[in-house]
Amino acid sequence: MPTLRVMGEADLDRVAEINQRSFPNPWSRELLAKELSHTWSTVLLAEEGPELCGFLVLWKVYDELHILNVATAPAFRRRGIARQMLTEAHRLAVAQGAAMATLEVRASNKAAQALYEAMGYKKVGLRPDYYQAENEDALIMSRPLP
């Protein structure tokens, strides 16, 4: 299993590369860098040796964990890395008093939806045209945290 740690500034180029390869409308490197300055934001990294396997951006706001981005490098997909990062995000948030986790997921991303459902998330709403560049809706999913 990969090791998990929090992102630092030196990791930005590698995170930006995975981000570019994972999303049709990826965040800019500058936007990823800005996450380092927010007290409510954490970017988790999954690594195997020198290889960056994936990242997860989370916000802890009051009693809620909000998952903003989950991405796994193409060579490491379908190995449970996203599940490992989500489990760690849940653990960190619970330790800080979070009671609920939420996220948005593309309506077309059935693989991600299946993972989230397997981890206890339920579909609770819809954000029409949330992904405006692609004219795609987002499903809102949430789950209570233990």
Side-chain angles (χ1 to χ4, degrees):
M1 262 317 206
T3 58
L4 300 180
R5 67 175 177 84
V6 174
M7 179 179 85
E9 196 169 325
D11 302 306
L12 278 170
D13 288 336
R14 295 188 311 151
V15 170
E17 180 184 335
I18 291 175
N19 188 49
Q20 290 289 325
R21 297 176 73 191
S22 299
F23 301 107
N25 194 15
W27 288 12
S28 68
R29 185 184 187 283
E30 292 74 27
L31 192 57
L32 289 164
K34 194 166 189 154
E35 292 301 314
L36 294 171
S37 67
H38 298 312
T39 58
W40 59 86
S41 181
T42 302
V43 182
L44 289 177
L45 302 182
E47 294 178 310
E48 281 189 356
E51 296 291 323
L52 181 63
C53 307
F55 72 93
L56 180 148
V57 180
L58 68 93
W59 285 4
K60 166 59 177 55
V61 182
Y62 299 106
D63 65 345
E64 185 175 307
L65 164 68
H66 189 79
I67 304 293
L68 283 86
N69 243 335
V70 181
T72 305
F76 293 94
R77 290 186 182 151
R78 311 289 307 161
R79 292 182 37 194
I81 294 168
R83 178 185 295 271
Q84 181 186 4
M85 291 187 296
L86 282 162
T87 299
E88 178 64 5
H90 295 162
R91 187 192 69 73
L92 289 172
V94 167
Q96 296 176 18
M100 179 69 66
T102 63
L103 56 83
E104 289 89 12
V105 61
R106 289 178 185 279
S108 64
N109 193 341
K110 302 301 183 195
Q113 290 171 42
L115 169 63
Y116 301 142
E117 287 173 350
M119 295 189 72
Y121 285 82
K122 305 281 186 225
K123 295 172 188 166
V124 297
L126 180 76
R127 296 197 197 280
D129 205 26
Y130 184 77
Y131 301 100
Q132 294 178 353
E134 299 86 19
N135 297 321
E136 185 168 1
D137 298 342
L139 300 175
I140 304 166
M141 300 182 78
S142 68
R143 65 160 280 178
L145 293 172

